[in-house]
Amino acid sequence: MKKDLHPSNYRLVVFKDMSNDYAFVTKSCVDTKESITWEDGNEYPLVKLEISHTSHPFYTGKMKLVDTAGRIDKFRSRYNKK
């Protein structure tokens, strides 16, 4: 392996979804100025997220349904081969 390829500040970091207060710990080298005391009593750097897998519409199944039937019918009627 090449020397000095990987960052030296790779450590445990808490990522917190601010929309639903879900938090998880994983390894990262992201820079942050905030910290939080985790459930195990240790203090870890904190990264605040706007959206995570617990609040993203794709993963929660609460997607907005767009009615495209009108558009499809217009397309077919316009470009239908006669």
Side-chain angles (χ1 to χ4, degrees):
M1 267 197 186
K2 294 181 180 179
K3 286 182 102 181
D4 301 325
L5 182 66
H6 297 286
S8 60
N9 63 343
Y10 200 65
R11 70 216 185 274
L12 288 174
V13 177
V14 175
F15 287 88
K16 185 174 183 180
D17 185 347
M18 299 310 292
S19 64
N20 61 6
D21 291 333
Y22 175 76
F24 59 94
V25 176
T26 188
K27 289 187 173 184
S28 178
C29 60
V30 65
D31 290 329
T32 180
K33 296 179 195 260
E34 298 181 62
S35 62
I36 190 172
T37 303
W38 190 244
E39 299 162 353
D40 62 0
N42 294 328
E43 191 168 324
Y44 297 108
L46 173 67
V47 177
K48 294 180 179 178
L49 304 172
E50 293 180 19
I51 195 163
S52 71
H53 69 283
T54 58
S55 61
H56 193 280
F58 179 79
Y59 297 107
T60 60
K62 298 177 182 176
M63 296 179 74
K64 293 181 181 178
L65 297 175
V66 178
D67 182 24
T68 58
R71 290 190 218 167
I72 293 171
D73 291 337
K74 284 181 185 178
F75 177 83
R76 287 185 180 159
S77 65
R78 182 180 298 162
Y79 298 105
N80 191 11
K81 293 189 176 188
K82 296 177 184 176

